[in-house]
Amino acid sequence: MALAEGPCYTIINSPDIEVPNEMQLKQDLEKGDTNVKIETLKKVIQMLLNGERLSGLIMTIIRFVLPVQNHQIKKLLLIFWEIVPKTSADGKLLQEMILVCDAYRKDLQHPNEFLRGSTLRFLCKLKEPELLEPLMPAIRACLEHRHSYVRRNAVLAIFTIYKNFDWLVPDGPELIANFLETQQDMSCKRNAFLMLLHADQERALNYLASCIDQVNNFGDILQLVIVELIYKVCHANPTERSRFIRCIYNLLNSSSNAVRYEAAGTLITLSSAPTAIRAAASCYIELIVGDSDNNVKLIVLDRLIAMKENENMEKVMQDLVMDILRVLAAPDIEVRRKTLALAMDLVSSRNIEEMVLVLKKEVSKTHNVEHEDTGKYRQLLVRTLHSCSIKFPDVAANVIPVLVEFLSDTNELAAADVLIFIREAIQKFPSLRALIIERLIEAFPQIKSSKIHRAAVWILGEYVDNKEQILEVTEAIIQTLGEIPMVEAEQKRLAGEQSDDGEKPTGEGNIKVAGNKVTSDGTYATQSAFSLAPVAKKEKRPPLRQYLMDGDFFIGAALSATLTKLALRYAELEDDVRQQNRLTTQVMLIMSSILHLGKSGFPTKPITNDDIDRIFICLRTLSERTKEAVEVFQHYCRDALGKMLDAQHEEDQRIMKEKQRAAAKVQPDDPVAFAQLSNGRDNQLGENVFETSLNQALAGTKSTNLSDITSPNNKLNKVTQLTGFSDPVYAEAYVNVNQYDIVLDVLIVNQTNDTLQNCTLELATLGDLKLVERPHPVVLAPHDFCNIKANVKVSSTENGIIFGNIVYDTSINTNVVVLNTIHIDIMDYIIPASCTDTEFRQMWQDFEWENKVTVNTTFTDLHEYLKHLLKSTNMKCLTPEKALSGQCGFMAANMYAKSIFGENALANLSIEKPVDDPDSKVTGHIRIRAKSQGMALSLGDKISSSQKQSVQAA
């Protein structure tokens, strides 16, 4: 099998330049001065990287450029010799390379340490043992050089040579072990220890055992290698754990954050003891609190969240909730969101009271703080306190007074979340109703938002159940409405404004003479102008009155319903008929006053017909008192709220069960893998052993079912065939989509009896994709195969296309095989997500790009079409299952997803079909909204293509 990837260490960005001919290049290299030679050498390097074979220039460069002592030329030559083909067509080393080898032997003995060090680094990249063998004595001599730069690069050179061609330096581990004993420089010790770690672990362990007490004083680069060694040794031989686990504990206190992070991860994999888990979790928390980089905070938080998924670790971490809450000091909203979610999952009855105290302090800190994320953070705190109260009802009494203060907040979202909590708490905890109502009445006059007032009015009307509180609520409503009747009060206000404008009212067409004016030459002049209509001063009205004057009569209708409930309940509680009638007439006067104001022309918008009907129903109910209407006002509203809360609770329970079901569990008949008995071949696929075992320690072993193999996320289903089976070169690609890049793993098979020279994969892209580097050419023997990897950078959530061809040389001519196009699917970037109805509406209002897709399908069932749409778009349906159940011939549903780039995608489905015709097809449309045009268009294209596929299949 051919090499999977050619040795490539240097990537140079080459702009589009004119390709000079070989004769011109030779002339510049022979006769040009130093600067000309530098520029020419750069051109030669760029041409070689672009696939040109300039074999005729090698001797010219050896004769005229190699002897030059200019440092920049020396650096360019190192790159040149790294990338230039060093073998002839038959695979034998070129004769000219012997001269190059001699030149580099001299450079290894050069008095300048920079030249020696850079030459040693270059030798690490050579893959030809014939070139390296004559240089071995000079490389060994560099181990004793006075400068650490030369010594550490000499160690690296010996390490790579031993790894690739151990027969060139058979005593390598012994040589480096002796070198390590005498070294004081930390970088030299690190490189030497790294070689022993990979080449001779026994010697590395002996060295570590000899200086294990001084590990804390080592530099961080050496400590990292020591952590890696301990991990590998303990992973391969668990009996060594007791010998080295104390060292890992000590490294948790290292001065380097990187060392502490790696040591904590290693400790979890080596030990499941509570003390080890607590020490690792505490170390992670200290890293988050101490590091200012948000990316570091998020990465380490993810580690803590992964630890929490393990049941044994979760029990230990429950005691660290208060330490985790220290992370809230970070200003980033995403860090705070993850921290609160983690703390909420870990909190128990032992520490819930302390957690509530911390959250109360955080709430007080957000007052009078002007920051773009303060509103979101307050909302997060409200939701967390809400969850605490529902999960642990004992703390609800402490939480409610804090949250009620939010009702007067200018941030409507936080106040709305408070009311959602209060509505749930007052229904679920009857013992707290008196406290909630008392606090709500106190906060009622300070509320600043129409929506919040409306919800507060509803809660008060539904749950106030004694005479004194009914009168108190009615009085509070009248105070926030202002003087009744309202139309007369507004007329008086207007009359008062006009009388204030001047004692002498003037007509509209009257001319008002101003005082004398002085002109530029000193003479007097009079100025007159038509008097304009007086500008009305913005008078401060009571809140409810202001809403009505602004044309928001929905609050008037809600107010009427609440007052009707209060009057009906008061009539049941109060025996005195006069008192009953007094309250009822007061309430009816308020309602009729709202109706009169709505039609008077004073408000900016008149009252709507719906609101008029609602208020009239309330007036009629109070005057006639029919049994059915009274029943609706007194019982049905509360019953509806109870059913809604029960449905929400059931949905939450269902989601929790699904999460538990999704957790990886070991099945009874699953094979047990013993790491001690493994043959070491299990990790040849390139996975990181450390990551694998850490994930197993955190989440258990995931079982592979038949459904996993057939699922669309399986690796086999992402293989794209690029050429036909009858083509001389067969190719297929596995497309691996990461967060910001796509890795194409292309398998190329030579199906001919000829050797293919310079077999090159040439790729190009369409859309927001960019090829990072050009794949390296390979040589394929007859019926041989190889894997070539290409990286493509992704910058946004859009569909993209990768196309190209394979070019190869045979003994006769050059051939090209055109490849099938690879379509990068937007579904690889999109993941289902959830948000509240309020957030969905806000985003729907904010996003400017909309794409409307007409439904064209063979489906005859509305629910089946919705399932098909969710599966093909990877979105989540936000509309509850109960709201979608039943058959009425119409369906409306909201869907939501997020991309891995953090972009949001919203969709609204509106479909219908005649109920009386079961064979009729579903019709309607889907509206997609997104912040970017590409997201909206790509998602629309995906829906259209999935519809076409279903139609063609039918």
Side-chain angles (χ1 to χ4, degrees):
M1 179 180 166
L3 276 173
E5 292 181 47
C8 177
Y9 300 87
T10 311
I11 298 172
I12 298 173
N13 180 29
S14 54
D16 296 330
I17 55 170
E18 288 184 21
V19 180
N21 60 37
E22 200 166 322
M23 289 302 296
Q24 180 65 42
L25 291 172
K26 277 187 176 182
Q27 192 174 349
D28 288 343
L29 290 171
E30 286 180 21
K31 300 178 179 176
D33 59 10
T34 303
N35 291 332
V36 173
K37 286 182 179 179
I38 289 171
E39 292 304 316
T40 309
L41 204 50
K42 285 180 180 178
K43 289 178 188 175
V44 171
I45 290 169
Q46 286 168 352
M47 289 169 70
L48 282 170
L49 287 170
N50 288 332
E52 300 284 340
R53 291 182 72 84
L54 304 171
S55 53
L57 287 178
I58 293 180
M59 203 61 213
T60 307
I61 289 175
I62 290 172
R63 287 176 59 202
F64 298 102
V65 183
L66 200 56
V68 179
Q69 293 300 312
N70 181 280
H71 279 202
Q72 192 171 356
I73 287 180
K74 291 277 187 190
K75 287 166 75 175
L76 288 170
L77 281 172
L78 293 177
I79 298 172
F80 173 78
W81 294 121
E82 178 190 340
I83 62 175
V84 74
K86 302 172 188 67
T87 54
S88 57
D90 57 359
K92 291 184 178 177
L93 192 71
L94 294 172
Q95 294 295 320
E96 295 92 329
M97 298 310 294
I98 296 169
L99 297 172
V100 177
C101 182
D102 185 59
Y104 281 114
R105 188 176 54 76
K106 290 176 182 173
D107 280 347
L108 286 175
Q109 295 165 350
H110 198 282
N112 185 302
E113 60 269 8
F114 169 76
L115 274 180
R116 279 202 191 198
S118 54
T119 306
L120 286 164
R121 289 182 74 84
F122 160 70
L123 295 179
C124 294
K125 304 168 188 177
L126 284 185
K127 301 293 181 188
E128 290 77 22
E130 301 94 327
L131 289 176
L132 291 167
E133 191 172 7
L135 300 176
M136 288 314 300
I139 295 172
R140 283 170 173 265
C142 287
L143 284 175
E144 298 170 5
H145 193 271
R146 58 184 175 76
H147 204 284
S148 61
Y149 178 69
V150 177
R151 295 199 304 275
R152 69 167 176 258
N153 283 308
V155 174
L156 277 182
I158 289 172
F159 175 27
T160 51
I161 292 167
Y162 182 81
K163 189 166 62 174
N164 296 323
F165 318 104
D166 56 352
W167 49 271
L168 285 178
V169 52
D171 61 337
E174 185 184 353
L175 178 69
I176 296 301
N178 295 334
F179 171 81
L180 184 60
E181 294 289 345
T182 59
Q183 276 306 304
Q184 296 300 319
D185 182 75
M186 207 51 70
S187 61
C188 295
K189 289 174 88 167
R190 179 256 179 198
N191 289 358
F193 194 79
L194 185 67
M195 175 177 170
L196 292 181
L197 163 64
H198 291 283
D200 190 344
Q201 279 193 6
E202 191 58 41
R203 290 180 189 275
L205 283 175
N206 292 338
Y207 174 75
L208 179 58
S210 68
C211 60
I212 199 161
D213 295 331
Q214 289 108 42
V215 167
N216 278 359
N217 302 323
F218 289 167
D220 56 347
I221 52 174
L222 183 54
Q223 286 178 342
L224 281 171
V225 184
I226 288 172
V227 171
E228 187 183 349
L229 170 70
I230 292 173
Y231 169 76
K232 284 191 172 179
V233 168
C234 296
H235 189 73
N237 185 9
T239 56
E240 296 282 357
R241 287 184 185 179
S242 57
R243 183 179 173 193
F244 293 112
I245 203 162
R246 176 55 52 194
C247 179
I248 291 290
Y249 269 110
N250 292 338
L251 287 175
L252 290 177
N253 300 317
S254 169
S255 58
S256 165
N257 287 349
V259 174
R260 295 169 70 193
Y261 177 76
E262 294 295 338
T266 302
L267 187 58
I268 297 168
T269 64
L270 298 184
S271 173
S272 56
T275 50
I277 295 166
R278 189 177 291 108
S282 300
C283 180
Y284 280 147
I285 294 166
E286 291 297 331
L287 283 175
I288 301 169
V289 173
D291 203 295
S292 58
D293 189 339
N294 279 335
N295 294 321
V296 172
K297 290 178 189 287
L298 290 169
I299 290 166
V300 183
L301 260 177
D302 286 339
R303 278 278 190 238
L304 283 173
I305 292 166
M307 286 176 68
K308 185 257 305 177
E309 299 299 325
N310 184 296
E311 291 177 9
N312 297 328
M313 294 187 186
E314 185 178 12
K315 290 174 185 173
V316 178
M317 289 175 69
Q318 284 177 350
D319 297 333
L320 297 172
V321 170
M322 301 313 295
D323 290 329
I324 290 169
L325 288 174
R326 288 165 55 205
V327 181
L328 292 176
D332 184 66
I333 191 70
E334 193 58 36
V335 173
R336 287 170 161 177
R337 182 180 285 110
K338 284 192 173 188
T339 304
L340 287 172
L342 176 62
M344 199 61 238
D345 288 339
L346 291 174
V347 72
S348 63
S349 54
R350 297 197 306 275
N351 46 27
I352 181 64
E353 290 185 1
E354 295 175 28
M355 178 172 166
V356 167
L357 283 173
V358 171
L359 294 178
K360 282 165 130 182
K361 285 180 184 174
E362 288 297 314
V363 168
S364 62
K365 284 180 192 174
T366 61
H367 288 298
N368 305 321
V369 176
E370 292 300 326
H371 189 271
E372 57 181 348
D373 286 333
T374 302
K376 292 179 186 174
Y377 183 43
R378 297 186 79 168
Q379 199 176 357
L380 272 178
L381 290 170
V382 168
R383 288 182 184 174
T384 309
L385 286 167
H386 176 178
S387 303
C388 290
S389 302
I390 300 304
K391 198 172 176 181
F392 304 97
D394 295 344
V395 299
N398 293 331
V399 169
I400 286 164
V402 180
L403 290 186
V404 170
E405 292 176 11
F406 276 91
L407 292 177
S408 58
D409 198 55
T410 50
N411 180 13
E412 193 176 279
L413 294 174
D417 282 339
V418 169
L419 275 175
I420 289 168
F421 160 64
I422 286 175
R423 187 180 66 188
E424 188 173 351
I426 207 168
Q427 173 74 6
K428 287 189 173 179
F429 311 133
S431 58
L432 296 176
R433 282 180 188 169
L435 172 68
I436 293 172
I437 288 166
E438 181 190 339
R439 296 288 182 173
L440 206 51
I441 293 171
E442 286 176 15
F444 193 77
Q446 277 80 44
I447 297 174
K448 298 180 176 67
S449 164
S450 165
K451 288 180 184 175
I452 309 306
H453 252 132
R454 195 169 67 227
V457 158
W458 187 91
I459 292 171
L460 289 171
E462 199 59 55
Y463 292 97
V464 169
D465 53 7
N466 65 56
K467 293 186 291 185
E468 292 76 14
Q469 282 189 332
I470 289 172
L471 294 173
E472 199 176 342
V473 170
T474 312
E475 186 61 34
I477 289 172
I478 291 171
Q479 281 181 3
T480 47
L481 263 177
E483 191 181 342
I484 305 290
M486 287 181 272
V487 174
E488 285 81 348
E490 288 301 318
Q491 285 173 339
K492 285 180 192 173
R493 182 189 292 272
L494 197 60
E497 282 178 7
Q498 287 177 352
S499 62
D500 288 343
D501 282 340
E503 294 176 4
K504 298 176 183 177
T506 56
E508 194 177 328
N510 290 346
I511 294 175
K512 188 173 171 183
V513 179
N516 289 335
K517 304 287 180 187
V518 181
T519 60
S520 56
D521 59 356
T523 58
Y524 288 98
T526 56
Q527 185 182 40
S528 63
F530 285 98
S531 61
L532 302 173
V535 178
K537 289 181 285 184
K538 179 112 177 168
E539 287 291 330
K540 192 172 180 185
R541 297 184 178 90
L544 291 178
R545 173 81 63 87
Q546 188 61 52
Y547 305 147
L548 297 173
M549 291 300 291
D550 292 338
D552 181 5
F553 281 93
F554 186 31
I555 180 92
L559 199 59
S560 302
T562 293
L563 291 170
T564 305
K565 290 176 193 173
L566 292 174
L568 292 172
R569 200 170 295 129
Y570 189 76
E572 285 183 356
L573 299 169
E574 178 60 66
D575 299 327
D576 189 348
V577 179
R578 290 179 62 191
Q579 293 291 340
Q580 290 178 19
N581 292 341
R582 180 179 296 167
L583 183 65
T584 304
T585 51
Q586 198 174 15
V587 163
M588 292 174 82
L589 175 63
I590 292 171
M591 291 186 219
S592 57
S593 180
I594 292 171
L595 279 172
H596 190 193
L597 180 67
K599 295 179 177 179
S600 66
F602 283 114
T604 52
K605 288 184 281 185
I607 189 169
T608 62
N609 290 333
D610 288 342
D611 294 333
I612 291 172
D613 291 345
R614 183 96 183 273
I615 296 171
F616 269 130
I617 287 169
C618 294
L619 285 166
R620 190 170 175 182
T621 303
L622 284 176
S623 57
E624 295 179 3
R625 307 282 174 105
T626 57
K627 187 179 178 185
E628 293 80 3
V630 170
E631 192 75 15
V632 169
F633 275 98
Q634 288 192 329
H635 301 293
Y636 286 8
C637 291
R638 194 178 301 190
D639 292 347
L641 174 64
K643 286 176 184 174
M644 187 190 81
L645 292 174
D646 290 342
Q648 280 181 355
H649 183 67
E650 285 173 18
E651 182 70 13
D652 293 341
Q653 291 295 321
R654 185 182 66 78
I655 291 169
M656 198 173 290
K657 281 180 183 174
E658 281 181 3
K659 279 184 182 174
Q660 288 171 350
R661 204 179 300 131
K665 298 288 180 188
V666 180
Q667 300 301 322
D669 56 348
D670 279 352
V672 179
F674 292 96
Q676 295 86 343
L677 304 179
S678 67
N679 56 8
R681 293 179 188 165
D682 300 332
N683 294 304
Q684 284 185 351
L685 294 175
E687 284 125 347
N688 187 339
V689 184
F690 175 73
E691 286 293 323
T692 309
S693 62
L694 182 59
N695 290 337
Q696 285 179 350
L698 296 176
T701 308
K702 188 176 180 182
S703 58
T704 305
N705 301 320
L706 188 63
S707 58
D708 295 336
I709 296 167
T710 56
S711 74
N713 293 325
N714 186 265
K715 188 170 180 176
L716 293 174
N717 292 325
K718 294 185 179 179
V719 173
T720 306
Q721 187 176 337
L722 300 179
T723 63
F725 291 114
S726 59
D727 283 318
V729 175
Y730 172 74
E732 64 181 27
Y734 164 61
V735 183
N736 182 24
V737 178
N738 298 319
Q739 185 155 357
Y740 292 108
D741 67 328
I742 298 167
V743 179
L744 297 179
D745 191 350
V746 184
L747 170 69
I748 297 177
V749 182
N750 179 5
Q751 301 194 107
T752 67
N753 294 320
D754 300 324
T755 299
L756 305 185
Q757 298 283 346
N758 292 330
C759 186
T760 308
L761 177 68
E762 294 183 345
L763 296 173
T765 57
L766 275 180
D768 257 350
L769 306 173
K770 185 182 178 185
L771 194 65
V772 176
E773 58 180 304
R774 188 185 300 270
H776 204 276
V778 293
V779 177
L780 283 178
H783 302 289
D784 197 0
F785 64 93
C786 73
N787 283 74
I788 296 177
K789 287 187 179 177
N791 289 300
V792 178
K793 186 181 177 186
V794 188
S795 52
S796 70
T797 313
E798 290 182 30
N799 289 329
I801 295 174
I802 301 173
F803 58 95
N805 49 46
I806 292 175
V807 183
Y808 60 90
D809 298 335
T810 62
S811 55
I812 306 167
N813 57 4
T814 300
N815 297 287
V816 177
V817 179
V818 179
L819 306 177
N820 286 339
T821 54
I822 302 172
H823 291 268
I824 303 301
D825 195 351
I826 187 178
M827 290 304 101
D828 290 325
Y829 312 128
I830 287 181
I831 49 174
S834 58
C835 65
T836 63
D837 290 343
T838 312
E839 290 167 343
F840 185 90
R841 284 194 292 270
Q842 186 64 41
M843 285 190 285
W844 189 269
Q845 184 181 331
D846 293 343
F847 292 170
E848 55 189 13
W849 291 104
E850 179 171 312
N851 188 7
K852 190 173 181 179
V853 180
T854 305
V855 172
N856 175 24
T857 182
T858 55
F859 282 95
T860 56
D861 184 81
L862 300 175
H863 293 87
E864 288 299 319
Y865 181 76
L866 175 62
K867 285 179 185 172
H868 164 74
L869 189 65
L870 292 173
K871 186 178 179 183
S872 60
T873 58
N874 222 11
M875 300 185 90
K876 181 177 180 180
C877 182
L878 299 180
T879 309
E881 188 69 36
K882 288 200 172 184
L884 298 171
S885 58
Q887 293 287 350
C888 65
F890 178 80
M891 178 187 284
N894 290 335
M895 297 174 289
Y896 177 58
K898 282 186 94 165
S899 77
I900 55 178
F901 303 105
E903 298 169 306
N904 298 297
L906 313 176
N908 173 257
L909 172 71
S910 188
I911 50 177
E912 61 182 343
K913 63 164 281 187
V915 183
D916 51 358
D917 185 3
D919 296 328
S920 62
K921 295 175 184 175
V922 172
T923 58
H925 59 263
I926 303 148
R927 292 166 66 199
I928 301 158
R929 284 205 181 179
K931 203 166 191 178
S932 64
Q933 183 184 19
M935 182 83 156
L937 292 176
S938 299
L939 204 52
D941 291 344
K942 181 65 183 175
I943 293 171
S944 301
S945 64
S946 68
Q947 289 188 149
K948 283 177 189 172
Q949 287 169 6
S950 64
V951 169
Q952 288 166 1

